[in-house]
Amino acid sequence: MESASLSLRHGFGMAVIDPIRQSANAASDTEDGLCADTGLSPLQRLRTPVWIYDIDHGRIVWANPAALGLWCSDDLEELRRRDMAREMSPAIAQRLLQLQHDFHLHDRSCTELWTLYPRGMPRTVDIVCSGWPLEDGRMGMLCEAVGETMTDAVTLRSAEAMVHTPVMVTLYSVRGRALYRNPAARATVDHPDAGARSRMIDRRELRQLVERLHRSGQARATAQVNTSLGPRWHDISVRLCRDPVEGRQVFLVSEIDITELKQAEARAHWLAMRDTLTGLPNRSFVSRDFQQRLDGLHASGGEAALIFIDLDRFKAVNDSLGHDIGDRLLVEIAQRLYATLETDDLVARLGGDEFLVLVANRDGDIERRTRQLVRRLQAELGRTVMIGRLQMQVTPSMGICRFPRDGHDIEALLRNADLALYRAKQGGRNGVGWFTPELVRIARDRVQLEQDLRIAVERHQFEVFYQPRLHVGSGRLLGAEALVRWRHPRRGLVPPDVFIGLSEDTGLIRAIGAMVLEQAARQQVLWQSQGHRLRISVNLSPRQFGDPALLDTIERIVRDTGCDPQQLELEITESVMLGQDESTAQAIQKLALMGFRLAIDDFGTGYSNLAYLQRCPISTLKIDRSFIAGEHGVSPLARLVITMCRMLGIETVAEGVETEAQLDWLRAQDCDEYQGHLCSPALPADQFERRMLEPVRPA
């Protein structure tokens, strides 16, 4: 191998070979490099090996006889043909380029310990290197081997390791002057004399590093440093030691470039703080950055408002149109949300269809600014969204609390904004709720209600009431809808709108629903034994369809009660029909095969899809009360639904009928059945039995 390894020994110094340079120039001016009086150039007479190296091409272009001997070559032409760079290590090649760069800038020389490999045999020599302009103007290197060194193996190998290691090693004087740099360290500075003071970007970190160094003799830091490639992250270790040349105290600094690791950490941290679907900050970001913003406002006496946003009926979109459409809708909403806010507002997606906005104080009136923003958000988020050819619209419900009045940390504000959001949703879609201390009491009551509800399930505190279903034309009693009531030991009779939503949220609806179905089945058997053949309808909630034991539970009830499934009608919400997966579809088919009649409850309140009326074994469609008892009379859609069901052979039941005019209209439209307060509210079983004995209501 014809390459070389080296160790920087003495650093840079002023050139000391001017006489040789002059002799070489003189030799080049004569033919074949010979003097007229002796026939030999002065350089050729030197016993010291001297040669000129073309750094760019990796070849020796001239050598005196002593250098030919050092390189084990018989003549100059043979030596010129050797490709020195072919097997040269990257570290040596980099070092030679560093020297070439320094020769361009300064007329200096340096002495280095090189291990040469002529014909593959190692020879260690001290080389004085200096710049030498080549004929074409490129910078070459003049090398003078001032002496062969007999060094032990450990020293040679340690010198070799210092050259090739990627660890940057620098020796500084106590004043920060660079005394030595290995090639890796030299590659990171533009000037060979660059000192320690300009190395670290943060001067405060430099002072702290020096203070630790003086206290314990060593220090370590991870910091950004100035390099020839720009700012980089380095893991820096510093030790106090002595200069082996002058004996003075110096700093030995070793550095490892960890920029890629830092960038990977930063990327991972960024991803950990971002929602992968929308690109907005996530809950982790809220805990850190929202809190930092609040801390800054607290220090300056500022105010803020936290807005908790939830999209109304977003679950219905997922259930009816699929999660892919739901995700695309969320992305669009997130983009609109971000575009509506000011640059100093913070926004995040908490998960699902929940978003969070932190509005900072600007002009001293945080409430006015928040109300203005809420109006803009309602307008922007409520605009029609086009996804492909699909047109849809969602509205935001918002809960708002204020800092510092309603809380001093982000967790407290989140809780209070959530309470305000819950209040807003109770008032209907597109609502806005502001936090008040009263909401905390309501939340505590809700927690207590949940505890009481669990006890009620254990102690069977529920009763089933029955609301009559009558034939529209004749007024004859045809059946009843089973409706659950809670007989609370302290509160008395609790209406379903107080606890049904909570039972859905907690999953208790499965136990309650099974209890209602079993009680209704036993009542149907009892009335049939008394000669009253009535059809009883019972609601099945979406949560019950998520129970894998639903069919087994219903089969057990039929077996235990001996009821007639054909006289029981199971009411299913639109969301169950629209969002049914394979297991739900199979459950619906099996219920029909068991003999149960199936009805769609509250038709028209969701994303109605008339196609499922033909795909599913539906016997009855119940028209929601909002289509019967609207502010502007009966909705024209009710007429369309009744006509369609008549064509499909599906019975129609109108809910919430309260006036004679509504009943007359239903009679004119040939609706099959109705229920509502015009006839009777829901009644306990014994009162319902007395109602059965009353004369038929005349048509």
Side-chain angles (χ1 to χ4, degrees), residues 284-551:
S284 297
F285 180 93
V286 169
S287 299
R288 188 194 67 177
D289 290 63
F290 276 43
Q291 185 61 56
Q292 289 177 357
R293 178 66 60 86
L294 293 176
D295 293 341
L297 289 170
H298 177 72
S300 62
E303 295 179 305
L306 192 68
I307 307 176
F308 203 143
I309 302 174
D310 183 89
L311 302 181
D312 300 322
R313 296 187 60 77
F314 177 75
K315 185 178 185 301
V317 175
N318 271 343
D319 290 343
S320 59
L321 303 175
H323 287 274
D324 178 63
I325 296 297
D327 287 349
R328 293 167 67 182
L329 175 61
L330 287 174
V331 171
E332 173 65 25
I333 293 297
Q335 292 174 349
R336 292 185 184 184
L337 181 60
Y338 184 80
T340 306
L341 302 178
E342 301 291 342
T343 54
D344 58 346
D345 295 333
L346 296 180
V347 60
R349 180 189 177 210
L350 294 184
D353 61 335
E354 295 179 339
F355 299 88
L356 200 66
V357 173
L358 183 65
V359 185
N361 181 29
R362 281 187 170 186
D363 54 10
D365 192 347
I366 188 63
E367 183 170 336
R368 182 179 63 83
R369 184 181 177 226
T370 303
R371 291 187 185 276
Q372 292 174 348
L373 176 59
V374 165
R375 287 193 292 270
R376 293 202 306 271
L377 290 174
Q378 286 178 319
E380 287 299 312
L381 302 186
R383 285 192 296 110
T384 300
V385 178
M386 294 297 300
I387 299 180
R389 296 183 179 181
L390 189 63
Q391 177 177 305
M392 64 183 67
Q393 186 176 24
V394 293
T395 54
S397 289
M398 297 182 234
I400 307 169
C401 66
R402 282 161 285 190
F403 168 85
R405 194 188 74 174
D406 300 330
H408 290 83
D409 61 80
I410 188 62
E411 293 303 323
L413 292 172
L414 264 174
R415 289 194 301 270
N416 293 338
D418 192 22
L419 292 176
L421 175 64
Y422 183 77
R423 169 58 63 88
K425 281 190 164 293
Q426 286 182 321
R429 305 177 194 176
N430 205 25
V432 178
W434 290 78
F435 173 79
T436 63
E438 174 68 11
L439 296 181
V440 178
R441 182 193 62 79
I442 295 174
R444 292 196 189 102
D445 291 346
R446 178 178 169 85
V447 172
Q448 183 61 53
L449 184 65
E450 179 180 341
Q451 295 174 353
D452 292 349
L453 191 60
R454 295 185 183 278
I455 295 173
V457 171
E458 296 174 359
R459 299 181 181 179
H460 306 286
Q461 294 176 353
F462 298 97
E463 300 177 11
V464 178
F465 281 36
Y466 300 89
Q467 183 173 43
R469 282 173 47 174
L470 284 74
H471 187 266
V472 169
S474 65
R476 182 166 54 90
L477 181 66
L478 299 178
E481 180 178 359
L483 298 169
V484 66
R485 300 291 187 267
W486 177 10
R487 186 74 67 178
H488 195 282
R490 297 187 309 276
R491 302 185 184 189
L493 198 62
V494 181
D497 59 345
V498 173
F499 67 89
I500 288 297
L502 183 58
S503 65
E504 288 273 4
D505 294 342
T506 58
L508 293 172
I509 192 66
R510 295 176 180 177
I512 296 173
M515 181 276 298
V516 173
L517 179 59
E518 182 169 356
Q519 194 166 330
R522 293 189 186 280
Q523 192 66 59
Q524 181 264 324
V525 171
L526 176 61
W527 283 339
Q528 184 163 325
S529 67
Q530 296 173 352
H532 305 292
R533 187 171 176 80
L534 299 176
R535 181 185 303 152
I536 301 179
S537 60
V538 182
N539 287 281
L540 290 183
S541 76
R543 273 296 190 100
Q544 287 177 272
F545 273 93
D547 183 4
L550 174 64
L551 290 178

Side-chain angles (χ1 to χ4, degrees), residues 469 569 571-572 574 597-604 608-610 612-613 618-624 627 637-638 640-642 644-646 648-655 671-673 675:
R469 282 173 47 174
E569 189 171 73
E571 297 186 8
I572 304 170
E574 272 192 289
R597 294 171 59 87
L598 298 177
I600 298 178
D601 190 23
D602 298 332
F603 181 81
S608 301
N609 186 339
L610 303 181
Y612 59 60
L613 298 179
I618 303 300
S619 303
T620 304
L621 188 147
K622 303 191 75 172
I623 305 171
D624 185 69
F627 290 90
L637 184 60
L640 176 63
V641 171
I642 294 172
M644 177 196 62
C645 288
R646 190 163 57 248
L648 295 175
I650 297 175
E651 294 182 1
T652 52
V653 179
E655 298 181 295
C671 180
D672 295 301
E673 301 178 35
Q675 62 186 85

Side-chain angles (χ1 to χ4, degrees), residues 15-26 42-43 46:
V16 294
I17 55 172
D18 287 344
I20 298 178
R21 185 185 300 273
Q22 294 166 5
S23 298
N25 290 335
L43 290 178
L46 287 176

Side-chain angles (χ1 to χ4, degrees), residues 564-568 589-598:
D564 180 3
Q566 294 183 354
Q567 290 301 106
L568 287 175
Q589 293 294 336
K590 288 182 180 179
L591 289 173
L593 291 175
M594 292 170 64
F596 289 100
R597 294 171 59 87
L598 298 177

